[in-house]
Amino acid sequence: MSSDMVRVVYRKYDGTAHRDYPARRLAEDDLGTWLGVSAGTRSVYHGRPSVEQIPFVVLVPHDAWWTGMFNPPPRTSEVYCDIATPAEWDGDTVRIIDLDLDVVRRRATGAVELRDEDEFAEHRERFGYPADVADNAQGAARWLLGALGDGTEPFASAYRKWLALVA
C-alpha cells in the first residue's frame, strides 16, 4: 500500500528543475490521482525554495498529456492545467515533464486562456521536441480549451470535494 504522501517533481524537457513539492494523496478514481497541497507547504519553484501561500489540489490523470491544479479564492485562476508528458510513477514519487503550454480558467469571468505559446515554440526549437511530443502537447491544449469551458469533468465540479479537504 502506498503512503499518504507523494513527491511531485516537474522538470522541463531538458531536465532542469521546474517544481518540486510534497502532496497528500487524497484519492484515486477513474479520472486519476488526486493530491492535496496545504498552505505553508515547503516547495521548490524554478530551483528556488518557496512556501505555498494558498492551498490547492492537483489531478494527475491516467495517461494524459496534462495535469490540473484546482485553486480556491483568492487565486485568480480557478483551474490551471499544465501541458505535460504523461506522468510516470516511481513508488510515491510522480515525475512529470512540463511542456510549457498552460490552459487556464479565470475565476472572475470564466474565460479560458491558452498561455505560453511563445515559450513552447522557443523550447520546441531549443530542446528539440520530437514531432509526436509537440503534436500531443498541442492536441491536449486544444482539448482542454474546450473541456474547461463546456462542463466536462473534472473541470465542472468533481474537484470541489477534494479542494474542500485542503482549503
Side-chain angles (χ1 to χ4, degrees):
M1 178 103 173
S2 297
S3 76
D4 287 341
M5 295 306 293
V6 171
R7 181 177 173 204
V8 181
V9 179
Y10 283 86
R11 296 208 173 275
K12 288 296 189 173
Y13 196 81
D14 69 344
T16 56
H18 184 51
R19 291 196 309 256
D20 190 330
Y21 54 87
R24 185 166 46 107
R25 187 187 315 263
L26 301 174
E28 186 166 344
D29 60 20
D30 60 324
L31 297 168
T33 303
W34 294 91
L35 306 171
V37 178
S38 301
T41 297
R42 294 185 184 280
S43 61
V44 176
Y45 186 65
H46 292 293
R48 295 187 177 136
S50 182
V51 176
E52 298 300 331
Q53 300 300 308
I54 300 172
F56 58 93
V57 169
V58 175
L59 173 61
V60 180
H62 304 295
D63 198 34
W65 285 77
W66 58 271
T67 59
M69 183 186 340
F70 302 88
N71 304 303
R75 196 159 276 172
T76 59
S77 60
E78 180 181 15
V79 181
Y80 194 106
C81 294
D82 287 297
I83 303 302
T85 59
E88 293 184 8
W89 288 89
D90 179 14
D92 292 325
T93 299
V94 60
R95 298 182 196 290
I96 302 157
I97 298 173
D98 181 280
L99 295 172
D100 315 309
L101 295 172
D102 303 301
V103 180
V104 179
R105 183 171 69 211
R106 295 288 166 203
R107 179 176 316 286
T109 63
V112 178
E113 308 167 355
L114 176 61
R115 301 184 61 204
D116 298 330
E117 290 177 280
D118 54 341
E119 183 182 358
F120 176 78
E122 177 188 331
H123 287 176
R124 182 179 184 179
E125 173 96 10
R126 183 188 317 161
F127 302 149
Y129 294 173
D132 66 318
V133 168
D135 290 347
N136 280 304
Q138 292 170 318
R142 280 191 302 273
W143 181 80
L144 286 165
L145 281 167
L148 266 69
D150 71 6
T152 297
E153 291 294 3
F155 309 110
S157 63
Y159 69 92
R160 293 173 199 249
K161 68 181 174 183
W162 306 119
L163 190 55
L165 297 176
V166 298

